[in-house]
Amino acid sequence: MITTDFVPGSPCWLDLGAPDVPAAAAFYGGVLGWDYESMGEGEDMEGGMFRNDGKIVAGLGKLTEQGARSAWMIYYSVADADATTRAVEDAGGTVRVAPMDLDEWGRMAQYSDPMGGQFAVWQPGSNKGVEQVDTPGSLSWTELYTSDASAAKQFYGSVFGWQFSDMPMPGGAGGAYTIITPAGLPQERMHGGLMQVSEADLALAHGRPYWHPVFAVTDCDTAVARVTASGGNVQMGPDDAEGVGRLAVCLDPSKADFVVLAPSAP
């Protein structure tokens, strides 16, 4: 259960790096009903915020990193970005963007885990993060596809103090799915999961692990129809996962991956 109390180690923000900002804004508006609010356009800056029912749910910016793929970046809340950076390095990770202040809003940094999975942290200032989660049209889960689940648990446990619990893969697919819960919180506050997959399953990121967001929707099939009608593709599903809901793994027109999930009734 993702919340907006932003305890350390919990998801607090996400943004999309897209080669075509207006096209991405139109796509997610059509699929998830988001409104896009531009923060300016020009050589040095192009991007803005997505809102759902008037509340900020994500950011959008121009993809500028040479050779990078379009993808969602998930940020986790931390009390001290500099201390987290040291923890990342001590655990074998790589600093992609050193801690930096974004005016009075907060302090951010971006990293890669030892296997290559990219993620980020946010030390809140005046801005703690997104304003809406766990409702239709907003972030409801975060998920890591990794080449080494054991190593991932060791790394992220060291950096964030996350608690892990394994469960059988839904639908009898075999293997284990690892549930992630912030340090010191009960499992009802689980905010994500990780699973080990084959190198072929990581082709989207050229063999590297990757995180992706799961967005709640009221009707998975309707959301999937909107994805394809808006120029996206479906990698998997829609499928029913017992105790979870009906979900599909999707790609936007620039091949940034995300999941839509209509949760099971409680």
Side-chain angles (χ1 to χ4, degrees), residues 169-189:
M169 285 290 293
Y177 188 87
T178 299
I179 300 295
I180 302 170
T181 305
L185 293 184
Q187 196 172 25
E188 303 89 78
R189 283 294 307 274

Side-chain angles (χ1 to χ4, degrees), residues 27 31 222-234 250-251 258 260:
F27 173 82
V31 172
T222 297
V224 165
R226 290 173 178 168
V227 166
T228 55
S230 300
N233 291 287
V234 179
C250 304
L251 299 177
F258 63 98
V260 290

Side-chain angles (χ1 to χ4, degrees), residues 69 74 76 113 115-118 141-149 152 156 169 176-178 180 192-205 207-214 235-237 247-251 257-260:
R69 76 178 184 97
I74 299 172
Y76 295 95
D113 67 28
M115 288 68 68
Q118 297 180 0
W141 193 250
T142 65
E143 192 168 61
L144 172 66
Y145 288 171
T146 182
S147 52
D148 190 333
Y156 290 101
M169 285 290 293
Y177 188 87
T178 299
I180 302 170
L194 67 86
M195 58 185 291
Q196 185 165 315
V197 297
S198 69
E199 187 172 336
D201 292 324
L202 297 173
L204 192 64
R208 293 195 311 269
Y210 57 89
W211 287 93
H212 59 208
V214 178
Q235 282 193 302
M236 184 191 79
L247 58 86
V249 181
C250 304
L251 299 177
D257 57 300
F258 63 98
V259 176
V260 290

Side-chain angles (χ1 to χ4, degrees), residues 9-87:
S10 65
C12 64
W13 182 256
L14 68 163
D15 54 38
L16 174 67
D20 186 330
V21 168
F27 173 82
Y28 287 96
V31 172
L32 296 171
W34 288 348
D35 295 313
Y36 176 63
E37 181 180 298
S38 175
M39 294 182 66
E41 297 182 8
E43 287 187 10
D44 297 328
M45 177 178 178
E46 183 180 0
M49 305 293 180
F50 284 119
R51 292 183 181 269
N52 187 48
D53 297 327
K55 296 182 178 180
I56 295 174
V57 290
L60 172 62
K62 180 79 171 179
L63 183 66
T64 57
E65 185 176 347
Q66 191 70 29
R69 76 178 184 97
S70 182
W72 284 95
M73 180 68 72
I74 299 172
Y75 293 70
Y76 295 95
S77 186
V78 295
D80 186 331
D82 296 273
T84 302
T85 297
R86 292 190 292 271

